[in-house]
Amino acid sequence: CMVELLCAISYYLLFVFAGCRVSAVELTSSNTKPVVQEFQSVELSCIIKSTVTPDPRIEWKKIRDGETSYVFFDNKMQGDFATRAEILSRTSLVIKNTTRMDTATYRCEVAAPLDTKTIDEINIQLTVQVKPMTPRCTVPKAVPVGKTASLHCHENEGYPKSTYSWYRNSEPLSPDTKSNARLQNSSYTLNPTTGTLVFHAVHKGDTGRYSCIATNDAGFAKCEEQEMEVYDLNIGGIIGGVLVVLAVLVLITLGICCAYRRGYFANSKESGER
């Protein structure tokens, strides 16, 4: 009887403790969307919130452009992460000397075979910001008054994508000319997204040294100043030149007519026949 009683008590205690036991592995993170500048280190937080498995299996995967690759597998780093990454606090991942190619989704997976729910995972979206390179600027050297002038500024290395601002003689040009009394006489359109500055009808006041700055969250870069000259058209000179050309054409025509009348071309023809 005593043995049966002890067995009953044991089964009861086992049932009670089994019901109270935390039996699902669960993960959390202190930051699921970390942002870091290129060449710096970053920690991808993966924290085991609950488990009864003393030594769960940890894996990290990288998902970029629809392709999945291992970062940490079989208790060791994989690929190029072997020399620049490490596991911190059993589950978190530290990446050193980050590059733009590290921008991706990273998945932390934990397998706990002693738990009722044996597997859990959490995704970390890493963004590596890249400083803009020196933008390429195109500025026309000379434009006549009243004509259209297009200035271009662009770079494609920065991440996130750069926005652009133009300067004339080191003074910023506002995208909205109406908001600046000094620019109300100017007629231009500035697109900060494409970096294009278009003067619809230049005037003498638009002459100056132009430069452009590309900016994003990681920093900025500036191109060298370039001179644009706005000059007046010499209408009188153009008309005079046209008149001179017309006068020359008239004289040539008159000369040919006189030659025909005096028979120079006919004599030449007869001499040729003889």
Side-chain angles (χ1 to χ4, degrees):
C1 294
M2 183 62 68
V3 173
E4 292 178 355
L5 178 60
L6 291 174
C7 289
I9 294 174
S10 299
Y11 280 118
Y12 175 79
L13 293 176
L14 181 61
F15 174 78
V16 170
F17 282 106
C20 296
R21 186 184 69 174
V22 177
S23 58
V25 60
E26 184 179 357
L27 301 180
T28 187
S29 175
S30 61
N31 185 4
T32 58
K33 295 182 179 180
V35 177
V36 64
Q37 292 193 12
E38 192 175 28
F39 307 126
Q40 294 184 349
S41 298
V42 63
E43 177 184 346
L44 307 187
S45 170
C46 179
I47 303 169
I48 299 178
K49 188 175 181 180
S50 62
T51 183
V52 296
T53 302
D55 190 21
R57 186 179 77 249
I58 313 298
E59 292 180 1
W60 276 93
K61 297 177 181 177
K62 176 183 177 181
I63 305 170
R64 179 182 171 91
D65 297 331
E67 297 184 359
T68 303
S69 59
Y70 278 106
V71 176
F72 183 75
F73 177 73
D74 197 20
N75 288 324
K76 58 179 178 291
M77 293 294 172
Q78 305 295 314
D80 69 318
F81 290 100
T83 57
R84 61 187 188 93
E86 62 183 6
I87 295 297
L88 180 68
S89 301
R90 190 168 71 162
T91 50
S92 293
L93 176 67
V94 176
I95 303 176
K96 304 174 182 178
N97 195 28
T98 55
T99 70
R100 65 193 69 195
M101 297 303 295
D102 292 329
T103 295
T105 298
Y106 292 81
R107 179 176 295 161
C108 174
E109 298 181 359
V110 174
L114 299 184
D115 290 68
T116 302
K117 177 189 174 185
T118 59
I119 297 177
D120 196 17
E121 62 185 36
I122 189 169
N123 289 335
I124 310 297
Q125 180 62 53
L126 173 63
T127 300
V128 180
Q129 296 179 341
V130 182
K131 181 181 177 181
M133 298 293 288
T134 300
R136 180 180 179 181
C137 298
T138 304
V139 178
K141 294 184 179 298
V143 184
V145 169
K147 296 297 182 180
T148 299
S150 297
L151 289 70
H152 302 278
C153 176
H154 184 69
E155 71 86 33
N156 55 11
E157 295 294 326
Y159 186 83
K161 290 184 178 181
S162 297
T163 57
Y164 303 92
S165 53
W166 277 95
Y167 293 77
R168 180 173 61 211
N169 300 328
S170 300
E171 294 292 331
L173 293 177
S174 172
D176 183 11
T177 57
K178 296 180 180 179
S179 64
N180 192 327
R182 184 174 55 84
L183 300 174
Q184 287 182 357
N185 293 328
S186 296
S187 174
Y188 67 81
T189 301
L190 197 164
N191 190 325
T193 303
T194 63
T196 302
L197 173 63
V198 178
F199 289 91
H200 304 290
V202 295
H203 57 82
K204 296 289 287 184
D206 295 324
T207 295
R209 303 183 309 277
Y210 287 83
S211 61
C212 170
I213 295 180
T215 307
N216 67 7
D217 293 339
F220 65 91
K222 178 182 179 181
C223 68
E224 294 183 359
E225 289 184 333
Q226 299 181 44
E227 184 80 22
M228 185 179 78
E229 178 186 0
V230 179
Y231 61 91
D232 291 317
L233 285 174
N234 188 352
I235 304 298
I238 294 175
I239 294 175
V242 171
L243 292 176
V244 169
V245 171
L246 291 175
V248 171
L249 291 176
V250 169
L251 290 175
I252 293 174
T253 303
L254 291 175
I256 293 174
C257 291
C258 290
Y260 265 112
R261 288 179 180 178
R262 295 184 180 184
Y264 291 134
F265 291 101
N267 295 336
S268 300
K269 183 178 181 181
E270 292 174 358
S271 300
E273 291 176 352
R274 288 197 295 268

